[in-house]
């Protein structure tokens, strides 16, 4: 089984900020590259998720509240929790295809993808056409 994953983005739907309402990731994340990633996965019928700085692996059918979490503020304890969540959530996948922009790839995500028990299953991709 294969899953496509990308990191979260700062640009989020402002109407949900501070409301306590929960939404799916395709509603919350509004940055164009993230929206294009999600749309491509849906159109291609591929499983996908977002790697959130706060929530960890966020699948499309799960709802969470609006949040603000800068990847530069992730502590070692939070990192360990994110790593554990990633390993648990993605354990069933033989291939983890991580979509990213190499020029804007935060070191936190590189570290999370490299420092876990599933690292050998991760492949970095940087083009939407690689989602197939």
């Amino acid at each position: 089984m294969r899953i496509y994953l990308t990191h979260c983005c700062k640009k989020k739907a402002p109407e949900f900020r501070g409301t306590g309402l929960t939404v799916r990731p395709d509603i919350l994340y509004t940055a164009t590259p993230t929206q294009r990633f999600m749309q491509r996965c849906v159109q291609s019928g591929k499983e996908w998720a977002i790697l959130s700085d706060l929530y960890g692996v966020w699948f499309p059918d799960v709802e969470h509240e609006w949040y603000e979490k800068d990847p530069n503020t992730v502590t070692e304890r939070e990192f360990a929790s994110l790593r554990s969540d990633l390993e648990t959530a993605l354990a069933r996948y033989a291939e983890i295809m991580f979509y990213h922009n190499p020029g804007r790839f935060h070191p936190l995500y590189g570290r999370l993808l490299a420092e876990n028990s599933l690292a050998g299953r991760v492949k970095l991709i940087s083009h939407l056409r690689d989602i197939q």
Side-chain angles (χ1 to χ4, degrees):
M1 287 180 37
R2 175 186 288 172
I3 189 166
Y4 291 87
L5 190 67
T6 195
H7 55 79
C8 60
C9 60
K10 184 174 182 166
K11 191 173 180 187
K12 299 175 185 76
E15 63 268 26
F16 296 106
R17 185 178 193 152
T19 66
L21 296 173
T22 59
V23 295
R24 297 183 323 263
D26 60 321
I27 303 297
L28 184 65
Y29 297 118
T30 59
T32 300
T34 309
Q35 280 291 316
R36 286 182 180 154
F37 164 81
M38 294 183 286
Q39 290 167 5
R40 173 69 181 201
C41 289
V42 169
Q43 290 167 354
S44 301
K46 304 302 180 188
E47 288 191 60
W48 63 274
I50 302 291
L51 183 55
S52 163
D53 302 333
L54 181 65
Y55 297 123
V57 177
W58 187 355
F59 290 98
D61 60 339
V62 175
E63 294 188 356
H64 287 298
E65 289 183 38
W66 193 99
Y67 71 98
E68 185 79 44
K69 180 68 176 169
D70 185 322
N72 290 320
T73 67
V74 171
T75 66
E76 285 303 311
R77 175 179 267 168
E78 291 169 330
F79 178 85
S81 178
L82 290 171
R83 180 181 54 221
S84 176
D85 179 72
L86 183 143
E87 291 172 337
T88 301
L90 302 181
R92 66 181 183 196
Y93 296 98
E95 293 180 292
I96 302 163
M97 311 298 280
F98 195 88
Y99 174 72
H100 73 300
N101 176 339
R104 306 186 109 209
F105 190 50
H106 195 281
L108 171 69
Y109 309 121
R111 186 174 167 215
L112 274 169
L113 295 172
E115 296 179 20
N116 71 76
S117 62
L118 309 176
R121 303 180 196 179
V122 175
K123 180 180 178 189
L124 297 178
I125 59 173
S126 57
H127 298 285
L128 290 175
R129 68 178 177 262
D130 294 330
I131 299 172
Q132 50 186 342

